[in-house]
Amino acid sequence: MTDRAPLDRPHADRPVVLSCEAIDQSFGGLKALKGASLQVHEGEIFGLVGPNGSGKTTLVNVVTGFYPPQAGRVRLFGEDITGIAPDKIAGRGVARTFQNLALFKGMSVLDNILIGRHVHMRPSALGTLFYWWWAQKEELANRRIVEEVIEFMQLQDIRDEPVDVIPLGLQKRVELARALVAEPRLLILDEPMAGMNQEEKEYIARFILDAREERGVTVLIIEHHMDVVTAICDQVVVLSYGEIISEGPPQQAIAHPRVVSAYLGERAAKRHQRQEAS
Ligand code: ADP
Ligand code: MG
C-alpha cells in the first residue's frame, strides 16, 4: 500500500466514519477480499475503484451487513458493527444504492422514495412495511423530508409515474433519492452512473457534491468513470483481486503502475474472451 502525506487528505483530521480492518471474504474457494483495509473520514467523498470482479461490491456488502466477513472488523463511528444485520446497520445511519437497481416495479416514483424512510426494514418484512407505510402516510416529518429530497433531486415532474416506465438514468436518480430520505450519515453508492450519458453523469456528480455540502453526508462511491472519480473524490482506494493495491488522492492513486497494469490486465482478458468467442 502506498504511504500518503496527511496534507493530501483535507478531511484527515475529522472523525473516522467507516473503518474496514483486514477484511477477508471468500465464496467457496474464491477469495473475493484479502485483508482489505480502508478508512473514510467525515465529509469525504471516498472512491472505491478497480477492475470488474475485484471485490468492490463485496466490500460494500460486508460493510452493510449483507455478508459477515470471515476475518477482519468493520467499525462505524468507532463502534464495531462486524456481523450485525443489514437493517441494524441501516438504523445506525448507513444508506446504500445497488449496482443492479433494486426499485419496486409497478410502484410510483414517490412510493419508491417513501420506502427509504423505513430504515429498519428487512426484506422478509414487506407486509409489515406496507402496513407501516399506510399507517404513517400522513406523518409530517416523513413528508417534509421526502418532499425536500424530491425537489433536491428534481423529480417533481415524474413523482407519480410508475418507476419502471421512466428511463434508466432517472431510475438511478430515484434510487439515490430513496437512499437520501433515510437521512444517512454515510451514503454508499454502487456504480450510480452506470449506463448514463455524459450529461446525466454530470447531474449525478453535482447531486453527490450538493448532498455532501447541504446534507452533510459522507460518501463511499464505487465508480468506473475515472473522470468522475478524479473530479469528485477526495480519496481513493484501488482494489485488484480483493487486495488494495493503491490509495491516495485520486489522480495519484490511479496513476500508480500497479493500477495501470491491473486495468491493462483486464483489457487483455476481455480481448482474449472476444477472440475465444469469435
Ligand atoms: P466488483 O464489484 O469489483 O465487480 P464483486 O465484489 O461483485 O466485484 O465480486 C468479486 C468476486 O467475488 C468475483 O469473482 C465475483 O464473481 C465473486 N462473488 C461476488 N459475490 C458472490 C457471491 N454471492 N457468490 C459467489 N461469488 C461471488
Ligand atoms: Mg460491483
Side-chain angles (χ1 to χ4, degrees):
M1 210 184 290
T2 50
D3 291 323
R4 53 164 195 267
L7 277 180
D8 286 342
R9 203 167 178 183
H11 300 80
D13 56 346
R14 302 257 191 101
V16 175
V17 171
L18 174 70
S19 154
C20 296
E21 298 161 14
I23 305 290
D24 285 349
Q25 178 69 45
S26 299
F27 301 106
L30 180 105
K31 290 188 174 163
L33 292 173
K34 296 176 242 176
S37 299
L38 56 80
Q39 277 200 339
V40 181
H41 293 256
E42 192 179 83
E44 272 179 336
I45 297 179
F46 191 102
L48 188 52
V49 305
N52 271 327
S54 56
K56 304 179 298 294
T57 298
T58 302
L59 187 57
V60 162
N61 281 331
V62 166
V63 167
T64 49
F66 286 84
Y67 303 149
Q70 275 106 26
R73 311 308 303 172
V74 181
R75 280 178 230 284
L76 186 69
F77 306 108
E79 281 181 49
D80 194 335
I81 57 159
T82 322
I84 290 182
D87 58 324
K88 300 277 189 317
I89 293 176
R92 288 169 182 236
V94 180
R96 74 178 287 190
T97 65
F98 291 83
Q99 183 169 356
N100 303 308
L101 285 163
L103 293 169
F104 289 90
K105 294 194 169 138
M107 286 172 63
S108 71
V109 165
L110 174 65
D111 291 345
N112 267 282
I113 296 174
L114 275 168
I115 284 173
R117 292 300 296 168
H118 303 270
V119 286
H120 301 290
M121 177 178 80
R122 248 178 289 209
S124 60
L126 272 183
T128 325
L129 158 69
F130 284 108
Y131 171 75
W132 190 95
W133 171 56
W134 282 107
Q136 302 287 321
K137 211 165 182 277
E138 299 308 312
E139 214 248 316
L140 283 174
N142 282 348
R143 277 287 166 186
R144 183 188 44 77
I145 172 79
V146 168
E147 292 304 328
E148 217 176 271
V149 169
I150 285 177
E151 200 183 313
F152 175 72
M153 297 293 298
Q154 299 175 14
L155 293 167
Q156 303 93 323
D157 295 346
I158 55 155
R159 57 188 291 145
D160 297 320
E161 299 284 336
V163 79
D164 30 338
V165 307
I166 62 173
L168 178 71
L170 281 175
Q171 292 188 21
K172 290 281 227 188
R173 220 194 285 177
V174 172
E175 224 198 354
L176 183 47
R178 184 173 61 191
L180 279 179
V181 297
E183 298 184 280
R185 294 200 280 168
L186 174 63
L187 176 63
I188 304 182
L189 307 172
D190 194 347
E191 300 199 26
M193 300 175 199
M196 290 192 172
N197 63 32
Q198 189 61 28
E199 195 187 350
E200 289 170 321
K201 271 163 46 184
E202 282 168 16
Y203 238 89
I204 296 292
R206 177 47 47 204
F207 284 127
I208 293 169
L209 288 166
D210 287 351
R212 188 231 330 241
E213 287 318 308
E214 294 173 26
R215 318 193 73 84
V217 295
T218 302
V219 180
L220 173 63
I221 177 172
I222 297 178
E223 187 47 62
H224 270 303
H225 300 100
M226 291 303 170
D227 53 337
V228 174
V229 170
T230 42
I232 69 171
C233 293
D234 303 295
Q235 185 77 6
V236 166
V237 300
V238 186
L239 274 171
S240 175
Y241 294 107
E243 281 179 279
I244 289 173
I245 57 167
S246 176
E247 91 173 281
Q251 270 166 346
Q252 190 180 312
I254 290 164
H256 194 285
R258 264 182 301 204
V259 178
V260 176
S261 55
Y263 276 95
L264 286 177
E266 186 191 37
R267 256 181 250 149
K270 276 192 188 142
R271 229 179 4 251
H272 182 68
Q273 273 170 1
R274 274 198 302 274
Q275 279 161 358
E276 293 275 290
S278 63

